[in-house]
Amino acid sequence: MFRKHLATTLTVLLAVGIGYVGVSYLFFPAATAPQFGMAVWPEGDAATFLVTKGARDLASGLVPLALLLTGQRRALGWVLTIWTLVPLSDAALILSTGGSTVTALAVHGVTALALLVTGVLLLTETRGVPAPVAAGRPELAGRRG
């Protein structure tokens, strides 16, 4: 039961965290952008990229919450595990363009690790009905929840 609570807590923290980042990029892009770790950010019309990033990050926070609230824990595990690629790609981008190594590793690397750990926790949850319940109610014996 501890693993399930841990996975749920981590999911909520990750979802709220990236959702907050998304809202920050949508409403305060110039103040938020330097925290990403890039050496240089686009200016002028090219800076509209920040709104795109904000929308991506906001959606990235809402999807896990929707899966969690609808009880789709296995699907949630796959989504978080696959989404590990996003912060890893962000870190690679930062490192390849001369950005902050500390930010690439401390922010994006730790986020990737947290996504992977949470995804694995969700994917390895046991899903069976407890034996005493199934034994006393034959209609539940073959059911998995």
Side-chain angles (χ1 to χ4, degrees), residues 13-102:
L13 290 174
L14 286 164
V16 169
I18 196 62
Y20 171 78
V21 169
V23 169
S24 295
Y25 273 106
L26 288 171
F27 293 103
F28 310 105
T32 304
Q35 299 170 22
F36 187 78
M38 297 283 293
V40 178
W41 276 96
E43 295 179 12
D45 289 342
T48 57
F49 161 78
L50 300 176
V51 175
T52 301
K53 179 171 173 19
R56 176 193 85 164
D57 289 349
L58 180 57
S60 294
L62 294 174
V63 168
L65 292 176
L67 290 170
L68 187 64
L69 291 172
T70 58
Q72 303 298 315
R73 295 179 72 83
R74 187 147 183 87
L76 175 59
W78 281 113
V79 166
L80 295 182
T81 300
I82 293 166
W83 276 357
T84 299
L85 296 172
V86 174
L88 289 177
S89 298
D90 291 345
L93 175 67
I94 291 166
L95 294 172
S96 69
T97 58
S100 168
T101 301
V102 171

Side-chain angles (χ1 to χ4, degrees), residues 109-122:
V110 169
T111 300
L113 181 62
L115 284 166
L116 182 61
V117 166
T118 307
V120 169
L121 283 171
L122 287 159

